[in-house]
Amino acid sequence: VYYAATNFPPEYHGNTFVGNVMTCRINRDSFIEYGSTRIAKEEPDFVRCDDPWFRPVDLQLGSDGALYIADFYNRIIGHYEVPLDHPGRDRERGRIWRIVYTGKAKARAPDLALPKSTSRLIAELRHPNLNRRMLAMNELVDRIGPAVVRPVEKMLRAKSTSPEQKAHGLWVLHRLGALADGILGEAAANSNRVVRVHALRIIGESFSAMALPPNFQQLALRGLNDPDPFVQRAAVDALRQHPRNSEGGDSSAIDQLLDLLRRLPSADSQLVHVCRMALRNHLMMPGAFAHLESLHLDETRARLVA
């Protein structure tokens, strides 16, 4: 589980916790960023247990900021070890652990319950706990439905709206089929990278036709030159999902993807990989190789195509 909350001390924020059923531990990793690529860095174990039956098989972040651990609690964990009817297999026990941070003096226990009103659910979209934000977003879409469109649009226009609220608000409108092109276009040009990333992700997930409409194609192409690598990656992925026919159409995506791939640092391996997939999809379209021949590729770009 990825710890996307602030209840634990700062050194745990953005860490990943992994249940290790073989060593009876919960391992912890932080991350080092290379552009849009995150590489795990091993940290000291989060939980060690001297009970050899401790088997943390599932971890979840609670809306109260605690970690919830499903403990299989069994002497035998592999089907290959002994027959299924072996008497050593425990069929009665199982445990759920709740891990909380108690270092803050007189810290009030966070509330698990979500508010019910539309206005308070919209306010919840700025909560530092991602789990709460996702639950609030689902409540707005699945329980309240179309009645939230106007309040969410008003929230998106307000100056006090946080980037997280805007990102979730865009997805609320998208899921309800009520996201206006103008709102999406403004979000793709927002000053905050979180908003730009999610606007481009929505563009990638939208439009059933193969090619993007020209205005959104231009937004995706513009994102290739964004100063933030996460925005670049979202833009590349939108182009990956919507390759454009080069035969009598706009072939600039191939040119710009090649140019981006040429200048990407190799350490950002995930952005490089998505860029290759996007280029592959565009090269599968009719007219793509005829366009490549017209470019008279130098050796460097020819190797990138290969």
Side-chain angles (χ1 to χ4, degrees), residues 1-261:
V1 66
Y2 179 79
Y3 192 77
T6 56
N7 300 69
F8 286 7
E11 59 264 33
Y12 297 101
H13 297 177
N15 284 194
T16 292
F17 301 95
V18 183
N20 192 328
V21 299
M22 303 300 295
T23 63
C24 308
R25 299 179 182 184
I26 295 175
N27 305 135
R28 177 169 73 95
D29 294 313
S30 61
F31 291 93
I32 302 171
E33 286 190 3
Y34 298 94
S36 73
T37 299
R38 288 174 170 168
I39 303 296
K41 175 188 175 185
E42 187 175 1
E43 299 288 353
D45 290 330
F46 186 60
V47 172
R48 294 188 181 194
C49 184
D50 59 5
D51 184 343
W53 285 29
F54 177 58
R55 312 291 186 188
V57 292
D58 190 35
L59 292 75
Q60 296 290 332
L61 170 64
S63 58
D64 57 351
L67 284 186
Y68 288 81
I69 316 298
D71 177 7
F72 184 45
Y73 198 64
N74 211 311
R75 169 188 164 192
I76 299 168
I77 59 170
H79 292 308
Y80 54 84
E81 294 180 78
V82 296
L84 290 175
D85 58 357
H86 191 281
R89 291 185 181 276
D90 183 90
R91 301 180 186 278
E92 299 176 357
R93 297 168 183 83
R95 305 187 291 194
I96 296 175
W97 299 95
R98 177 174 178 263
I99 301 178
V100 299
Y101 178 62
T102 59
K104 295 179 181 177
K106 298 181 180 179
R108 185 177 66 86
D111 189 8
L112 272 170
L114 281 176
K116 296 296 184 182
S117 70
T118 298
S119 60
R120 291 188 63 193
L121 283 170
I122 289 175
E124 201 76 20
L125 296 178
R126 69 185 304 141
H127 198 281
N129 184 322
L130 176 61
N131 180 284
R132 288 189 74 89
R133 298 202 305 269
M134 294 296 292
L135 289 171
M137 181 174 70
N138 291 338
E139 280 281 286
L140 289 167
V141 174
D142 299 331
R143 181 170 61 82
I144 300 177
V148 308
V149 171
R150 287 187 180 275
V152 169
E153 288 178 340
K154 181 180 178 181
M155 175 269 288
L156 289 172
R157 292 190 297 267
K159 292 183 178 180
S160 60
T161 302
S162 72
E164 290 76 19
Q165 270 183 305
K166 288 188 177 181
H168 285 283
L170 292 172
W171 283 107
V172 167
L173 296 180
H174 171 68
R175 287 171 58 182
L176 291 171
L179 181 54
D181 288 0
I183 293 177
L184 186 54
E186 289 177 7
N190 192 275
S191 61
N192 187 277
R193 79 105 178 259
V194 170
V195 181
R196 298 199 304 278
V197 164
H198 283 277
L200 285 164
R201 285 181 175 174
I202 290 172
I203 289 173
E205 296 291 337
S206 303
F207 311 109
S208 57
M210 182 67 77
L212 288 172
N215 55 329
F216 290 113
Q217 173 84 357
Q218 289 305 310
L219 287 175
L221 291 173
R222 188 175 68 190
L224 299 183
N225 297 306
D226 196 279
D228 187 276
F230 286 97
V231 178
Q232 286 183 313
R233 189 165 144 190
V236 170
D237 196 54
L239 293 171
R240 176 191 65 82
Q241 296 184 75
H242 299 282
R244 184 174 285 268
N245 190 332
S246 300
E247 203 166 55
D250 180 11
S251 56
S252 58
I254 292 177
D255 305 17
Q256 295 192 44
L257 285 168
L258 267 175
D259 182 61
L260 176 63
L261 189 56

